[in-house]
Amino acid sequence: MKFALPLLALLAASQLACQAANVIEPAMVTIPAGEFMMGTDVAPAGDGKHNPLEAPVHKVQLKTFRLAKYTITVRQFREFVAATGYKMGNNCWKWTRPAADDPDGYLTMAPGNWKTAAYAPSDFHPVMCVSWDDAQAYAAWLSKHTGRHFRLPSEAEWEYAARAGTQTRYPSGDDPATLCQYANVRDETGNAAFTREYGVQWKPIACNDGAEFTTVVGSYRPNPWGLYDMIGNVGQWTAHCEHPDYQGAPTDGSAWTKACSSGMGPGEPMYITRGGSYANGPVALRPTTRAHGGQSNRSSLGEGFRLAEDGSGEDCGAKGCKVSPATQAFLRELAKAQEGEQQRRRNAAQKS
């Protein structure tokens, strides 16, 4: 009998651990080890000059790692906020109509957050209005409750996974019109919506995907390694802070977090986002393009995140990492949302 209480305590602790682990985990894809030439020395089409941020081209050797199949959704982030009471500000960048005296001023900071209806049309859209700090807090919470180590990917990991072994201008080929099959970009539908809502006149990519702004994650073809929305929909925070170029960058795929550029005031380093967004044209949608934001910057202009994880998942057992019931339910609902989005597009195409 003297072992009864410790045994009961052990069983209770085990039960609590199982309950704690029943959270929505990202569906992960194993990215094979390998090397690639990171960056580019080719001038973007129509730009006229090369962006020094993307050079010099350098060889990077990476170990096997895992990357989320989709960007983090509103539903997943909602679970985190509900569980932790995480507090965020109620302002983020948004699109606006340019004023007559400021024709280039189509961005403004305004009230709104990750759950504002205009930025979160459904639980299965990518979460926006989240800062680099917010993404880090989410990754830390998820790691604690799963016993795994989720993190933001390094820039090298992101670019390697986005290219997925391709050598063309875009993972889908050299013609930007091919992007509509794989990415939510500023195509004819999106451009018309921007003109209608904000009065801006931009040149669209010559294709039509049926999505005006952000859309349900996983609504396009995956890249050759099974990753969805690496290009377009929302840009993705990486663990890399900003530097003026790749001089001195790590060559082992690790994150570059020292000697960071600061553009948002003292103590506020800039961090790199990758992938472009639903609002971007051809130049910003190349897998080599580097964008940035301040550490606490929140935006509905098209910035979200996806998570990475060390290893291949084989350490979870012969059948891979066990999927929690909450994750299974989420993936079933996501599949329904994806089919619903495809049906909406088919109906819209028939009416046009």
Side-chain angles (χ1 to χ4, degrees):
M1 293 296 295
K2 66 180 180 180
F3 297 109
L5 287 177
L7 180 59
L8 288 173
L10 183 62
L11 290 173
S14 177
Q15 184 177 16
L16 286 173
C18 289
Q19 291 173 351
N22 190 26
V23 296
I24 303 170
E25 301 160 312
M28 305 297 284
V29 173
T30 297
I31 307 301
E35 65 180 30
F36 80 114
M37 301 304 294
M38 184 175 181
T40 182
D41 54 10
V42 177
D47 184 72
K49 61 181 180 179
H50 175 250
N51 186 346
L53 274 175
E54 301 172 6
V57 177
H58 57 290
K59 182 183 293 185
V60 178
Q61 184 79 42
L62 295 100
K63 296 179 180 178
T64 298
F65 66 99
R66 307 179 82 211
L67 193 62
K69 183 181 292 188
Y70 309 109
T71 51
I72 297 301
T73 65
V74 172
R75 168 74 65 83
Q76 290 165 289
F77 199 78
R78 188 188 306 281
E79 180 184 49
F80 156 64
V81 173
T84 63
Y86 185 74
K87 301 298 183 183
M88 299 169 63
N90 191 42
N91 283 285
C92 65
W93 291 99
K94 64 171 286 186
W95 301 103
T96 187
R97 281 184 174 268
D101 59 348
D102 185 15
D104 296 322
Y106 50 83
L107 309 178
T108 188
M109 181 67 77
N113 57 41
W114 65 272
K115 58 183 178 180
T116 298
Y119 312 147
S122 82
D123 271 357
F124 302 100
H125 277 64
V127 69
M128 295 193 294
C129 287
V130 287
S131 69
W132 188 89
D133 283 336
D134 299 332
Q136 293 282 40
Y138 175 86
W141 168 80
L142 189 63
S143 297
K144 176 182 177 180
H145 283 273
T146 59
R148 295 161 67 177
H149 180 217
F150 292 105
R151 57 179 174 77
L152 291 177
S154 71
E155 263 203 280
E157 288 174 331
W158 189 95
E159 186 173 323
Y160 177 67
R163 292 189 181 201
T166 62
Q167 301 295 321
T168 47
R169 186 175 181 79
Y170 309 99
S172 56
D174 289 320
D175 184 352
T178 61
L179 285 168
C180 274
Q181 302 174 53
Y182 295 88
N184 181 17
V185 300
R186 195 179 74 228
D187 64 331
E188 293 165 357
T189 299
N191 200 64
F194 267 89
T195 300
R196 182 190 70 229
E197 297 295 327
Y198 307 114
V200 294
Q201 298 289 338
W202 291 327
K203 183 179 179 180
I205 295 175
C207 59
N208 197 329
D209 65 8
E212 293 190 335
F213 302 113
T214 58
T215 192
V216 173
V217 302
S219 293
Y220 301 81
R221 295 181 185 177
N223 78 2
W225 285 351
L227 298 165
Y228 292 83
D229 307 315
M230 288 297 286
I231 303 296
N233 216 16
V234 292
Q236 299 143 55
W237 289 110
T238 71
H240 265 51
C241 60
E242 186 180 48
H243 298 81
D245 52 38
Y246 285 133
Q247 294 287 352
T251 58
D252 61 356
S254 60
W256 198 7
T257 59
K258 296 181 179 180
C260 308
S261 299
S262 179
M264 301 291 287
E268 177 80 345
M270 305 293 283
Y271 282 88
I272 296 293
T273 62
R274 290 299 204 105
S277 77
Y278 67 95
N280 287 135
V283 171
L285 297 167
R286 298 168 302 130
T288 55
T289 299
R290 311 172 78 196
H292 67 191
Q295 183 174 338
S296 63
N297 185 74
R298 297 187 178 101
S299 165
S300 71
L301 309 179
E303 291 170 359
F305 67 101
R306 77 175 68 220
L307 296 180
E309 185 180 22
D310 292 335
S312 64
E314 293 178 357
D315 54 331
C316 298
K319 295 183 179 179
C321 295
K322 186 176 180 180
V323 179
S324 71
T327 304
Q328 294 175 27
F330 170 78
L331 292 175
R332 287 194 296 269
E333 293 177 46
L334 173 58
K336 292 179 181 178
Q338 290 167 340
E339 175 53 36
E341 172 61 17
Q342 295 307 314
Q343 186 60 54
R344 182 197 67 77
R345 296 185 190 190
R346 288 192 291 267
N347 292 343
Q350 290 175 357
K351 292 179 181 178
S352 61

